[in-house]
Amino acid sequence: MKLHTNPWNFNSLKLLAAAELSGIKLEVVERKHDDKVVPYLTRNTLPVLEVFPNKFLFSVGAATRYLLNQQSLSPEDDSTVDRWLEWDSNQLQPSLVPYLVSVIGQNKPDAFLLSQIQTLLKLLNTELKGRQTLTKTGITAGDITLWGSLYPIFKPGKASIKGWEGLYPNIKAWFCRVEEEPAVQKSISVVVGGKDTGVFKDSLLAQPVPLSPPTPSSLKPDKVVADSN
Amino acid sequence: MVDTCDELSRLATYLGVSCGKMSFDGKEKVPVLKVQNNSNPKGLVTVAKYLTRSSQNAKNLLGATPEEKAAVDQWLEYRITRIDRSAQDKDVTNTLKELNHYLADKVYIMGSCLTLADILLYNGLIEIMGGLTFYEKETFMNLSRWFDNIQHQPALRQSLGLVSFQRNQLYKGVKVH
């Protein structure tokens, strides 16, 4: 199985950790930041998992879950994993990625995006109360995915949120628990190699940013039209 | 966008399950299902998968193999993160191009079997497809063929309107995406 990735892509942390946890050997194909791998996509999205020749998984969450291969999870745990993968792609990433671009990429941290991320972290902190992992069964694709997403704002570097350990103690305990895994440590050493999160810069600037939810101001014109009818 | 709570109750009807008490989380702007053990699945995809799992005869709608399950998950995510968020014309065109290219050699999203991915993509695309001109529908020929096939399953469409497609080619020399 091939993993196509550009150098210094923080999303690859998740796939490498998942493969390592389940003992799957990935053939890593190093790509340029703007390489287009999936023939039918208009975007240069990376990383991409090539499950069979020409069968691609371009969703990092779905690929992470596939690599972890936890088919014996209970329906309830499966549903919890669904919830957190959906939250990551639907709520967290659309604020997180543009924020990382603003602070690591352009050195101009966007205060509005940061406040959105802080609201999301508050919710996650509440949900993690009394829990070591998102499900009772131990580490799942939900934990690996959220850990990888939050890595750039919790680890040393420009995007690190000041005082997060004190603000979100439950997240801190959970984050440390995930990082105790040797497989997770190994993925960090492969992707980041002892450097700070500034190494993500070129990849962040070249990769597509998730589409954001419609904002109240972008919805206004429609409303005006509806009123005049 | 089609109302997600209505969409989920149509899905529950299709699956032959009760969708129970559904509400809308205003903060996250996602549907929530109230269930007995209080695990309360939250989010369109999470609730849709929960309903599908609780149906006796619909297990394969989530994919038959681990590879298919992952691919279904990927297209469900595509629905909420791409289709529902394509606000500008450029994003809409890219989304339609991508799906049209992907569907070139497929009857359903997973190839030859209907899955939850077809159902959620169909619901997410109704408004966009309904707003296209006949000329545009012809340029996205594979996508139009797939969409028309899905909407002609009355159990899936239920009360939704039909989007009209021409069976014969209207325009000469259409540049197909």
Side-chain angles (χ1 to χ4, degrees):
Chain A
M1 209 172 344
K2 285 182 184 170
L3 170 66
H4 300 265
T5 183
N6 54 332
W8 318 117
N9 187 323
F10 77 97
N11 275 313
S12 295
L13 284 167
K14 306 167 188 176
L15 299 179
L16 289 167
E20 194 68 31
L21 273 168
S22 54
I24 293 173
K25 201 151 169 45
L26 290 177
E27 181 191 336
V28 179
V29 184
E30 188 159 316
R31 296 291 196 156
K32 294 196 197 94
H33 297 302
D34 54 358
D35 271 357
K36 238 185 76 184
V37 176
V38 185
Y40 48 85
L41 289 188
T42 54
R43 294 159 282 140
N44 58 322
T45 297
L46 287 168
V48 168
L49 189 68
E50 192 172 358
V51 180
F52 302 122
N54 286 314
K55 288 275 177 209
F56 300 101
L57 286 177
F58 56 85
S59 151
V60 178
T64 301
R65 190 179 206 169
Y66 172 75
L67 286 170
L68 271 180
N69 197 20
Q70 296 175 313
Q71 289 181 63
S72 56
L73 284 186
S74 68
E76 195 186 330
D77 284 344
D78 261 334
S79 202
T80 305
V81 175
D82 287 338
R83 150 73 172 147
W84 290 109
L85 291 187
E86 182 168 0
W87 187 78
D88 177 70
S89 64
N90 196 37
Q91 315 271 336
L92 182 59
Q93 299 276 339
S95 298
L96 178 85
V97 177
Y99 176 69
L100 295 176
V101 171
S102 78
V103 51
I104 298 176
Q106 298 154 339
N107 218 358
K108 285 180 207 145
D110 185 314
F112 175 68
L113 291 170
L114 178 61
S115 73
Q116 283 186 323
I117 293 169
Q118 285 166 329
T119 308
L120 293 168
L121 290 175
K122 225 167 128 183
L123 175 129
L124 181 63
N125 191 58
T126 312
E127 299 261 355
L128 280 168
K129 193 174 175 198
R131 290 181 177 279
Q132 279 219 309
T133 50
L134 293 165
T135 68
K136 292 180 192 110
T137 334
I139 288 188
T140 61
D143 299 285
I144 296 296
T145 300
L146 288 187
W147 161 78
S149 292
L150 297 171
Y151 184 97
I153 54 171
F154 288 169
K155 302 292 272 198
K158 272 191 254 173
S160 179
I161 293 179
K162 280 204 183 75
W164 70 273
E165 291 104 326
L167 287 167
Y168 318 110
N170 305 328
I171 299 185
K172 191 205 166 201
W174 159 84
F175 193 80
C176 294
R177 162 71 188 89
V178 177
E179 290 210 329
E180 272 172 18
E181 293 291 327
V184 170
Q185 286 303 320
K186 197 166 171 202
S187 80
I188 298 176
S189 70
V190 171
V191 177
V192 193
K195 300 202 169 62
D196 83 14
T197 58
V199 297
F200 299 137
K201 181 175 175 176
D202 291 347
S203 172
L204 282 167
L205 287 173
Q207 282 286 300
V209 174
L211 296 174
S212 41
T215 58
S217 63
S218 73
L219 287 176
K220 256 183 198 155
D222 269 356
K223 213 177 158 231
V224 174
V225 173
D227 287 347
S228 66
N229 280 342
Chain B
M1 205 197 351
V2 177
D3 183 285
T4 50
C5 290
D6 287 353
E7 176 179 352
L8 286 166
S9 54
R10 271 198 309 277
L11 176 67
T13 307
Y14 174 77
L15 294 167
V17 297
S18 154
C19 72
K21 222 179 144 197
M22 201 153 6
S23 57
F24 195 75
D25 180 314
K27 242 191 201 161
E28 294 188 33
K29 301 192 175 58
V30 292
V32 192
L33 198 63
K34 178 113 182 80
V35 298
Q36 275 178 348
N37 64 5
N38 271 329
S39 61
N40 299 352
K42 194 187 249 188
L44 176 65
V45 168
T46 305
V47 175
K49 286 182 74 180
Y50 178 89
L51 292 173
T52 309
R53 272 192 210 105
S54 58
S55 169
Q56 287 306 312
N57 41 16
K59 294 280 190 291
N60 278 353
L61 279 181
L62 297 175
T65 62
E67 289 76 24
E68 267 188 28
K69 284 183 178 40
V72 168
D73 281 344
Q74 154 160 299
W75 289 106
L76 296 177
E77 182 186 297
Y78 189 91
R79 153 72 199 270
I80 53 172
T81 59
R82 304 295 310 180
I83 298 176
D84 289 355
R85 295 204 167 154
S86 290
Q88 297 174 12
D89 290 351
K90 168 180 68 94
D91 301 328
V92 176
T93 308
N94 280 341
T95 300
L96 297 177
K97 264 191 201 167
E98 292 182 351
L99 289 167
N100 190 59
H101 189 165
Y102 176 76
L103 286 164
D105 56 355
K106 294 173 186 73
V107 177
Y108 295 106
I109 297 289
M110 282 301 107
S112 51
C113 292
L114 179 89
T115 61
L116 188 61
D118 295 287
I119 303 175
L120 261 66
L121 290 188
Y122 158 68
N123 275 280
L125 286 164
I126 290 173
E127 219 174 279
I128 299 176
M129 294 305 283
L132 296 182
T133 62
F134 281 116
Y135 182 81
E136 287 167 322
K137 284 174 197 159
E138 223 165 84
T139 63
F140 300 111
M141 203 195 289
N142 310 314
L143 175 60
S144 295
R145 171 183 45 75
W146 165 83
F147 186 93
D148 201 28
N149 179 30
I150 303 290
Q151 74 168 354
H152 274 95
Q153 308 200 19
L156 282 177
R157 192 179 80 242
Q158 298 175 29
S159 59
L160 297 170
L162 273 174
V163 174
S164 46
F165 291 90
Q166 285 292 333
R167 296 277 165 181
N168 51 333
Q169 199 183 337
L170 280 183
Y171 301 93
K172 269 190 183 167
V174 171
K175 195 174 158 273
V176 177
H177 286 297

